[in-house]
């Protein structure tokens, strides 16, 4: 919810790095981002204020990253989460070009810190991206970013089952009709933003 997300808060991105062992090396050329805080400032509306958005993989229903992968390393689980099999990935990076949301990054350097032993160490030479903290989903827990956002009290992020009409997220979508980024591309992304 861009109406609730604030400029200074970076709890979601911080929690993601710890949960998924995604380090910062202090070098833009090799730093990976599974989730980024983005500032959007309307150019042509006088007096319009900036909004702040977390951007991540949209887990597109028609995922171009999956279609272009030559070795079927990218695939969609039955619940709709788009994943990468790091053992299959050959690092060709076609998927990075295909993704219109710039959600994927290439692992140039191995992680020295292993902040969460529930997830494997990062493998050099493959592509990675947000997986909705699939290790947590399978334990009926929230993704780390959502949990961290909830702890701030703002509750700017909600996660849930879009196929369950009674879930909190489904009720939220009916009530506020939030939009998706670049809906015109027809990829049916599963991340929605209110206030854009
Ligand atoms: Fe693939 Fe990008 Fe869509 Fe994620 S946002 S499913 S990486 S095309
Ligand atoms: Fe598939 Fe890996 Fe190539 Fe991406 S980089 S298209 S996941 S093999």
């Amino acid at each position: 919810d861009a109406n609730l997300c604030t400029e200074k808060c970076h709890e979601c991105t911080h929690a993601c790095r710890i949960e998924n062992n995604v380090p910062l090396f202090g070098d833009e050329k090799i730093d990976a981002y599974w989730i980024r805080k983005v500032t959007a400032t309307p150019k042509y509306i006088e007096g319009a204020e900036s909004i702040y958005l977390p951007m991540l993989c949209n887990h597109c229903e028609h995922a171009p990253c999956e279609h272009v992968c030559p070795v079927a390393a990218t695939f969609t689980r039955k619940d709709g989460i788009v994943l990468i099999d790091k053992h299959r990935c050959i690092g060709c990076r076609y998927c990075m070009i295909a993704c219109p949301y710039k959600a994927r990054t290439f692992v140039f350097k191995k992680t020295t810190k292993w902040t969460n032993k529930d997830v494997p160490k990062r493998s050099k030479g493959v592509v990675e991206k947000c997986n909705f903290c699939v290790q947590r989903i399978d334990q009926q827990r929230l993704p780390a970013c959502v949990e961290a956002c909830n702890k701030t009290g703002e509750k700017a992020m909600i996660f849930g089952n879009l196929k369950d009409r009674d879930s909190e997220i489904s009720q939220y979508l009916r009530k506020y009709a939030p939009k998706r980024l670049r809906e015109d591309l027809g990829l049916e992304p599963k991340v929605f933003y209110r206030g854009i």
Side-chain angles (χ1 to χ4, degrees), residues 43-57:
K43 249 186 180 176
Y44 304 107
I45 308 172
E46 209 177 311
E49 290 184 4
S50 299
I51 54 169
Y52 309 97
L53 312 166
M55 284 189 64
L56 57 156
C57 172

Side-chain angles (χ1 to χ4, degrees), residues 113-185:
K113 278 188 197 159
W114 196 5
T115 45
N116 180 9
K117 299 225 165 26
D118 281 350
V119 301
K121 275 187 181 172
R122 299 161 82 230
S123 319
K124 193 176 151 192
V126 298
V127 163
E128 62 180 5
K129 68 166 190 74
C130 157
N131 59 15
F132 276 161
C133 293
V134 73
Q135 67 281 1
R136 286 171 155 252
I137 304 302
D138 291 344
Q139 298 169 355
Q140 314 290 319
R141 294 166 68 204
L142 287 172
C145 56
V146 181
E147 187 178 279
C149 183
N150 287 358
K151 279 189 190 149
T152 66
E154 299 291 0
K155 218 182 173 201
M157 296 173 95
I158 300 175
F159 179 86
N161 185 355
L162 294 170
K163 287 185 179 154
D164 175 2
R165 276 189 59 80
D166 298 325
S167 65
E168 183 188 16
I169 187 71
S170 295
Q171 292 180 34
Y172 185 92
L173 297 189
R174 284 198 294 278
K175 187 167 177 191
Y176 296 112
K179 296 194 184 95
R180 293 173 289 182
L181 299 174
R182 292 302 311 266
E183 283 184 347
D184 55 311
L185 296 175

Side-chain angles (χ1 to χ4, degrees), residues 65 68-74 84-85 88-96 104 106 126-127:
C65 55
V68 300
C69 182
V71 292
T74 290
I84 303 167
D85 182 339
R88 292 189 75 104
C89 177
I90 54 172
C92 68
R93 293 175 255 184
Y94 289 175
C95 55
M96 289 178 66
R104 292 174 166 242
F106 185 72
V126 298
V127 163

Side-chain angles (χ1 to χ4, degrees), residues 5-16 36-39 148 152:
C5 186
T6 58
E7 181 182 9
K8 288 196 178 132
C9 180
H10 290 270
E11 292 297 327
C12 55
T13 54
H14 181 61
C16 174
R36 288 173 286 160
K37 268 294 284 291
V38 171
T39 304
T152 66

